[in-house]
């Protein structure tokens, strides 16, 4: 049974939304954060994955989605087998040469437990933005304190961690930085008009954009309690497309797969897509989060039921 109504119930749009939140401020620094990530990658080159190594990348929530993006990019670059695991379900029996851990807070219980269980002889690096936290003592620290966040909702920490690894893999993120700056220079009320009031949004992508689609859906659920889903673009037509309808939207990150636009058009749903780097497109999603939270009178810095870190009794 579908708990959601079949008739479109659009998100109300405020005439004068107030974007003055920590989330809005932190979203806006991302292009500069990504540019600085080049020097961070160079500084920590010795502790980051080397070509040919078998690598496991681990994290929770947003950090897990960044781990999946990194794994896809590293394997696509031909640099070696790369797995991405939730910190609570790392496969211990696999012969990894190196671990990479992503943890903004530095205090997440599952991450600390996972790091303590890594055999002592296997090198591991941890990307974190919180000084003086336990994870920094459990691996080679890559502390990026400048991108720490006051909002519970992660944006710039996660994308900067991804930027560090993209620079490390040999990518030139200069064009991506400029695309993100162009996104931030737009009037979001105009550039996001097609999705701002949508009852439901499904994000899709392939490769590392598929992981960013997962992150995009999470951001809308966290910041404004929106009905958002995410799938690989090739899997979307194997069932999820049945939810598409007028008043709803499909948002594609990265290149479209063949016939995708036509299939979405047949449903009556709005297709949102730009031919820009998926990481820059994620900034557009972040801006939508700010708008929709304001439209709904929600505080995106303190989402319902969430804290900065998940610390469990043990």
């Amino acid at each position: 049974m579908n708990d959601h109504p079949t008739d479109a119930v659009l998100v109300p749009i405020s005439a004068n939304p107030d974007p003055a939140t920590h989330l809005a401020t932190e979203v806006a620094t991302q292009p500069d954060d990504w540019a600085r990530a080049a020097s961070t990658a160079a500084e920590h080159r010795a502790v980051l994955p080397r070509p040919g190594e078998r690598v496991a990348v681990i994290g929770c929530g947003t950090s897990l989605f960044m781990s999946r993006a990194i794994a896809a990019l590293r394997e696509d670059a031909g640099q070696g087998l790369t797995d991405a695991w939730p910190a609570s379900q790392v496969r211990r029996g696999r012969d990894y040469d190196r671990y990479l851990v992503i943890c903004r807070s530095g205090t997440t219980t599952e991450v600390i437990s996972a790091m303590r269980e890594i055999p002592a002889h296997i090198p591991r690096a941890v990307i974190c933005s919180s000084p003086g936290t336990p994870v920094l003592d459990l691996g080679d620290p890559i502390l990026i304190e400048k991108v720490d966040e006051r909002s519970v909702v992660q944006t710039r920490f996660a994308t900067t961690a991804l930027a560090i690894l993209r620079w490390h893999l040999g990518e030139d993120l200069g064009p991506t930085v400029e695309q993100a700056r162009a996104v931030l220079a737009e009037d979001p009320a105009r550039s996001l008009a097609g999705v701002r009031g949508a009852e439901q949004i499904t994000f899709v992508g392939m490769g590392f954009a598929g992981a960013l689609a997962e992150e995009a859906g999470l951001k809308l659920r966290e910041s404004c309690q929106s009905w958002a889903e995410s799938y690989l673009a090739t899997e979307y037509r194997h069932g999820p497309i049945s939810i598409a309808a007028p008043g709803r939207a499909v948002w594609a990150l990265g290149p479209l797969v063949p016939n995708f636009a036509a299939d979405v058009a047949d449903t009556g749903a709005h297709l949102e897509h730009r031919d820009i780097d998926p990481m820059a497109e994620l900034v557009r999603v972040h801006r939508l989060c700010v708008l929709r939270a304001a439209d709904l009178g929600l505080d995106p810095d303190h989402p319902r039921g969430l804290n900065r870190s998940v610390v469990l009794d043990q």
Side-chain angles (χ1 to χ4, degrees):
M1 179 178 178
N2 187 353
D3 292 331
H4 298 280
T6 56
D7 294 331
V9 179
L10 305 186
V11 173
I13 295 177
S14 299
N16 297 295
D18 179 10
T21 61
H22 296 310
L23 179 63
T25 299
E26 290 154 5
V27 165
T29 72
Q30 289 179 104
D32 291 342
D33 299 332
W34 302 349
R36 286 195 304 269
S39 60
T40 305
E43 179 184 353
H44 296 281
R45 180 179 180 182
V47 301
L48 289 170
R50 302 171 185 176
E53 288 184 328
R54 295 168 58 91
V55 175
V57 192
I58 65 175
C60 297
T62 287
S63 294
L64 173 61
F65 299 145
M66 295 304 108
S67 299
R68 291 175 177 167
I70 290 164
L73 287 166
R74 187 171 185 269
E75 290 201 346
D76 286 347
Q79 293 208 12
L81 181 147
T82 314
D83 290 330
W85 300 114
S88 59
Q89 294 193 358
V90 179
R91 297 295 189 267
R92 304 295 175 192
R94 301 195 177 186
D95 187 19
Y96 295 117
D97 301 308
R98 188 178 300 270
Y99 284 80
L100 177 65
V101 181
I102 304 174
C103 182
R104 176 181 68 168
S105 70
T107 58
T108 302
T109 299
E110 293 104 327
V111 172
I112 293 171
S113 297
M115 293 186 73
R116 286 174 174 165
E117 292 176 9
I118 296 172
H121 69 280
I122 302 179
R124 81 294 306 267
V126 56
I127 302 177
C128 179
S129 62
S130 303
T133 53
V135 298
L136 295 172
D137 296 326
L138 297 172
D140 295 307
I142 302 176
L143 180 63
I144 49 174
E145 189 174 359
K146 286 185 178 180
V147 297
D148 200 19
E149 295 153 331
R150 296 181 67 181
S151 177
V152 168
V153 175
Q154 288 194 47
T155 53
R156 67 183 182 187
F157 166 75
T159 59
T160 301
L162 178 56
I164 290 169
L165 268 294
R166 293 184 72 179
W167 285 110
H168 178 67
L169 290 172
E171 293 191 51
D172 177 7
L173 292 188
T176 304
V177 168
E178 292 309 313
Q179 289 171 355
R181 286 178 175 148
V183 165
L184 290 166
E186 297 172 342
D187 175 2
R190 292 175 60 89
S191 63
L192 298 170
V195 289
R196 182 177 178 182
E199 175 204 20
Q200 185 271 346
I201 301 177
T202 299
F203 295 94
V204 299
M206 296 296 293
F208 93 100
L212 296 192
E214 291 186 282
E215 170 62 4
L218 177 63
K219 287 291 88 93
L220 278 179
R221 292 190 292 272
E222 289 178 331
S223 63
C224 49
Q225 302 171 22
S226 293
W227 178 15
E229 302 176 7
S230 54
Y231 304 93
L232 289 175
T234 49
E235 289 298 308
Y236 179 68
R237 289 174 289 200
H238 291 273
I241 194 171
S242 62
I243 207 68
R248 299 175 183 175
V250 181
W251 193 330
L253 284 70
L256 294 175
V257 298
N259 302 317
F260 191 85
D263 289 342
V264 172
D266 287 344
T267 71
H270 169 77
L271 176 62
E272 188 77 10
H273 176 254
R274 283 191 184 180
D275 188 20
I276 61 176
D277 188 283
M279 205 158 78
E281 186 74 348
L282 186 60
V283 177
R284 297 187 68 228
V285 178
H286 293 161
R287 300 197 86 193
L288 179 64
C289 291
V290 174
L291 275 181
R292 286 172 70 105
D295 289 340
L296 293 166
L298 298 173
D299 177 3
D301 293 332
H302 303 93
R304 182 175 63 187
L306 295 181
N307 295 306
R308 176 178 166 88
S309 177
V310 177
V311 179
L312 305 173
D313 294 330
Q314 293 183 300

